Amino acid sequence: MLTPFRIPLPEKGAKIIYEDLDNDGDPDILKTTLYSDIPVMWIDDDDDMKEGDLEGDTDSDCLLIDKNRDGKYAQAKDMIIDWGDEDKDGKADIQVYVDYGELNQTGWGPGHYMIVVDTDNDQTFSYIDWEHLEIKAWDHNRNSSFFEDYSGKSLFLKIHTSTFNMNDVRMNWENPFLFYDPDNDNLTEYAIRFCDSPIRERKVESHSEDGNIPDEDRAVELTGKINWVSMAYDMDNDNAPGNEFDYDMTIHFSGEGFPYKDQVHKFNSLVGLAGTEKYFYDPRWRQNNTLLYPDHEAAYDLVFDRGKWDFCWFTFDEDDDCERWERVEMYQPKDLFKIGMRNGGLDDNGQADASGDRGEWDADNSGKGNLYVSSFDGRLHLYGAEWGAWRIDQEAKYYQGWGGLYDGTQKRKQNEPEVYPTIKYEDADKNGFIDKISYDMDGDTIFEKTISLAELDIEDKHEVIDISKMKYADYQKLHTKVADGIWQTANDAVNVAKAKNLNTDWYQFLMHPKSIREKYHNGFWLNFYVYQDMLKYAAVKADKKYIQQIEKAYHSGNWDLLN
């Protein structure tokens, strides 16, 4: 089957009815059918429709589809798409997508209220599967070239409920999802997701047929506060056509958050043609010209200057296999050795990578999301984290890709490993820095080695990197510095091994990195393999003192200690 990118035109012989609501001599309404028997209505909000037109336009008109064929538009089980042209240039600047559940489905889902603002003027909005008449925001070309407008500088707002359940249609749940394109290559380098988690405590049996719903019966109550934030970064900016999404790191805050009702955005084109309210079960969103949300420019300052956060999580895509559009999904501070979505392990979230990522968790947000570069592995870590873990998928054999879940299966796309190595990190002295590392490298769920930096007389404190004022270029520079440092440490290890007449040519595959990513990845593993060889060398020599010196050299990142 070919991809249905557009609504089908009326079939030959299909009846087309035009209605002139304002008696100005031209039609304001076009009615016809889709697939022979599904009623369709176009409302001409910008007054440029002509008799003979087969469809409305996609710059300022509104499309109503009576999916359940009950003769009522924009009511239960129906779908609406509304376009708005703010600057009157003949191109849409905003699109509203709405679909409804039944009137007795008064809580969270089904239903959608999704608004896309075309901030990069690429005319890409929500993707509709016109064969099945439903939004499919996850459909894509190749691995991660999504039809939905996630690429470039983009913005959307979304909630999974019918608008008639919402207390305030100016606000939203994902409010908003911001995508950034600082290098203007029409690809996304980082994304920020804001959530206003609605109160859903009240239960309402059903809504009346006439649409007169008391405010207290709108049981999905948005709060006007952002209480959930994720910030995801493509640290090496290696996305490209064919690899459109390649986030490497996510920082997540949750807590009281911040109020945002002062973040006001006017869209006069959202207000529909007068006299068409009668077609809408819930006309509020067609009479509204105001949306409340933090925008691209205000987002960062609101997170760090206004936000009050209870905890912070950090996740790094160590196997570099995440092609999701929104973030590297967070590992959660749960069971180290349980695996599978909703199974109580690190990867409990169905969108998380089953293996390959590294998570760290600051339960009281004492570190405020700041970072540091450790000595024991040369990598970025979350300052203030009480503990963390890396579930290793060394060569990304359990490739995550775009993740799956939304193709009707509710299952992960990837295979899940039965056995996997794990490294656990702990802040034993509670000073905000990891100082205890436990290794289960054979995947038997038993740590064969635990290293205490204090016992090796290695300083665990490092310079704290304040992320609150960092720009995207700063993240890139930081990651490049980290990768270069890891690569240099690996080369130092090789030189020490050669001095002991240990053959490191076995690792030639790792010795020729072709990218920042490969310096980062290959450098870690080259350093680790040489470290293991050095330990075996010392064990053969039965030199316990030298073993301790090797442990200190490796975990301090200073191989000069052995020279």
Side-chain angles (χ1 to χ4, degrees):
M1 296 293 293
L2 298 181
T3 301
F5 282 109
R6 61 120 63 231
I7 186 173
L9 291 169
E11 298 175 5
K12 183 178 180 180
K15 188 175 183 180
I16 301 177
I17 299 172
Y18 304 94
E19 297 179 8
D20 181 4
L21 297 182
D22 54 9
N23 299 311
D24 65 350
D26 56 51
D28 302 298
I29 301 290
L30 184 159
K31 294 181 179 179
T32 185
T33 55
L34 185 63
Y35 302 124
S36 299
D37 64 345
I38 301 176
V40 171
M41 176 193 296
W42 286 90
I43 298 175
D44 181 32
D45 285 326
D46 57 351
D47 200 33
D48 63 356
M49 186 179 288
K50 303 181 295 297
E51 288 206 21
D53 286 351
L54 301 179
E55 60 182 347
D57 60 52
T58 56
D59 60 346
S60 294
D61 289 359
C62 185
L63 169 65
L64 293 75
I65 301 177
D66 180 15
K67 286 181 62 176
N68 63 354
R69 305 172 178 83
D70 66 354
K72 300 174 183 178
Y73 293 96
Q75 297 197 27
K77 306 301 289 183
D78 292 336
M79 180 173 117
I80 311 103
I81 306 174
D82 196 2
W83 293 266
D85 178 9
E86 285 294 302
D87 55 10
K88 309 301 181 184
D89 66 350
K91 297 179 181 179
D93 301 298
I94 188 169
Q95 181 201 68
V96 183
Y97 171 88
V98 174
D99 63 42
Y100 289 138
E102 299 282 8
L103 297 185
N104 63 357
Q105 293 171 321
T106 62
W108 186 263
H112 290 88
Y113 176 45
M114 184 168 184
I115 302 166
V116 179
V117 182
D118 187 25
T119 51
D120 56 0
N121 300 310
D122 64 0
Q123 294 293 288
T124 306
F125 295 99
S126 288
Y127 172 68
I128 311 301
D129 176 352
W130 291 106
E131 180 182 359
H132 300 97
L133 299 182
E134 58 186 12
I135 190 169
K136 287 191 176 176
W138 55 89
D139 272 9
H140 58 281
N141 180 25
R142 300 188 298 270
N143 287 349
S144 56
S145 179
F146 294 96
F147 300 147
E148 189 80 22
D149 193 20
Y150 302 138
S151 290
K153 184 181 180 182
S154 188
L155 178 164
F156 74 76
L157 305 82
K158 183 183 71 171
I159 192 169
H160 294 278
T161 191
S162 303
T163 62
F164 52 70
N165 294 325
M166 298 171 60
N167 65 317
D168 192 335
V169 294
R170 299 175 304 164
M171 300 186 288
N172 226 301
W173 166 56
E174 290 182 308
N175 198 43
F177 222 126
L178 299 165
F179 301 89
Y180 292 79
D181 179 20
D183 61 3
N184 298 311
D185 62 354
N186 298 315
L187 297 168
T188 297
E189 279 71 55
Y190 67 105
I192 299 178
R193 180 192 191 226
F194 289 119
C195 287
D196 176 347
S197 300
I199 299 169
R200 291 178 273 168
E201 296 176 352
R202 287 173 291 151
K203 292 186 178 181
V204 178
E205 292 300 320
S206 187
H207 297 308
S208 63
E209 290 284 342
D210 61 11
N212 291 319
I213 303 174
D215 288 343
E216 60 268 21
D217 284 352
R218 300 190 191 276
V220 180
E221 184 178 351
L222 294 156
T223 67
K225 278 191 173 183
I226 297 299
N227 68 333
W228 192 107
V229 175
S230 69
M231 302 185 297
Y233 299 90
D234 181 353
M235 297 288 283
D236 51 3
N237 196 13
D238 62 348
N239 59 2
N243 183 41
E244 283 80 7
F245 284 86
D246 197 352
Y247 300 127
D248 301 298
M249 180 184 75
T250 297
I251 295 172
H252 161 56
F253 295 102
S254 187
E256 179 183 336
F258 62 84
Y260 65 85
K261 286 187 177 181
D262 59 342
Q263 305 297 303
V264 180
H265 303 272
K266 296 289 186 180
F267 295 93
N268 292 323
S269 64
L270 291 180
V271 178
L273 180 66
T276 60
E277 300 86 359
K278 60 185 179 183
Y279 297 115
F280 294 82
Y281 180 79
D282 179 19
R284 293 178 303 157
W285 63 270
R286 282 271 294 176
Q287 299 168 330
N288 170 55
N289 73 342
T290 302
L291 298 176
L292 307 178
Y293 63 85
D295 60 20
H296 286 87
E297 288 68 37
Y300 223 73
D301 288 341
L302 289 171
V303 170
F304 290 103
D305 295 344
R306 190 183 290 189
K308 297 178 181 179
W309 308 113
D310 294 338
F311 63 84
C312 179
W313 293 352
F314 165 97
T315 305
F316 205 98
D317 182 28
E318 296 292 356
D319 58 349
D320 199 36
D321 66 349
C322 178
E323 295 180 282
R324 297 195 63 84
W325 63 86
E326 70 274 68
R327 63 188 160 271
V328 182
E329 188 56 75
M330 278 81 69
Y331 272 6
Q332 299 182 9
K334 297 189 176 185
D335 193 288
L336 275 175
F337 301 115
K338 288 183 178 180
I339 192 168
M341 59 186 291
R342 295 187 289 276
N343 195 39
L346 304 182
D347 65 323
D348 190 72
N349 189 309
Q351 297 178 170
D353 194 353
S355 63
D357 293 358
R358 174 168 56 93
E360 297 177 11
W361 306 285
D362 178 2
D364 57 4
N365 193 38
S366 59
K368 302 187 184 305
N370 293 321
L371 306 172
Y372 65 95
V373 179
S374 72
S375 61
F376 63 84
D377 62 2
R379 290 170 163 170
L380 288 171
H381 292 269
L382 180 65
Y383 175 56
E386 291 81 17
W387 73 289
W390 176 21
R391 183 175 286 178
I392 297 172
D393 180 8
Q394 185 179 11
E395 306 303 345
K397 291 181 179 178
Y398 301 93
Y399 199 85
Q400 182 184 23
W402 75 276
L405 291 184
Y406 306 110
D407 53 5
T409 65
Q410 284 300 300
K411 295 180 180 178
R412 285 175 172 159
K413 183 180 177 66
Q414 69 181 136
N415 294 321
E416 297 174 352
E418 295 181 2
V419 178
Y420 46 86
T422 300
I423 300 177
K424 183 180 181 182
Y425 312 97
E426 298 173 80
D427 177 15
D429 63 5
K430 304 185 186 307
N431 68 348
F433 299 91
I434 291 166
D435 56 8
K436 182 180 177 183
I437 307 99
S438 301
Y439 296 90
D440 170 26
M441 302 308 286
D442 58 9
D444 66 353
T445 74
I446 298 171
F447 294 115
E448 58 267 15
K449 178 191 289 188
T450 295
I451 295 294
S452 166
L453 299 188
E455 291 178 5
L456 291 173
D457 195 28
I458 297 173
E459 176 60 61
D460 64 344
K461 292 182 180 179
H462 299 279
E463 178 186 356
V464 176
I465 302 165
D466 182 356
I467 69 168
S468 66
K469 302 301 179 185
M470 286 177 64
K471 306 296 184 184
Y472 176 67
D474 299 322
Y475 285 98
Q476 276 189 276
K477 291 176 183 176
L478 175 60
H479 184 64
T480 299
K481 182 179 179 181
V482 165
D484 287 343
I486 290 173
W487 183 246
Q488 182 60 56
T489 301
N491 280 277
D492 292 344
V494 168
N495 291 333
V496 169
K498 286 180 177 180
K500 296 295 183 182
N501 293 317
L502 287 173
N503 184 4
T504 60
D505 289 344
W506 300 102
Y507 308 121
Q508 283 299 321
F509 177 80
L510 299 173
M511 292 184 174
H512 308 284
K514 297 176 284 295
S515 65
I516 295 171
R517 155 66 188 170
E518 290 191 358
K519 278 188 174 183
Y520 179 88
H521 177 79
N522 294 12
F524 175 88
W525 286 110
L526 179 58
N527 189 42
F528 184 82
Y529 282 126
V530 172
Y531 158 59
Q532 295 298 307
D533 289 348
M534 293 290 292
L535 288 176
K536 290 174 183 177
Y537 169 86
V540 169
K541 299 290 186 182
D543 190 339
K544 293 183 179 180
K545 182 178 179 181
Y546 196 49
I547 288 174
Q548 286 298 98
Q549 291 173 336
I550 292 168
E551 294 288 10
K552 184 169 184 177
Y554 176 78
H555 287 94
S556 66
N558 183 9
W559 287 104
D560 287 342
L561 294 176
L562 300 184
N563 290 331

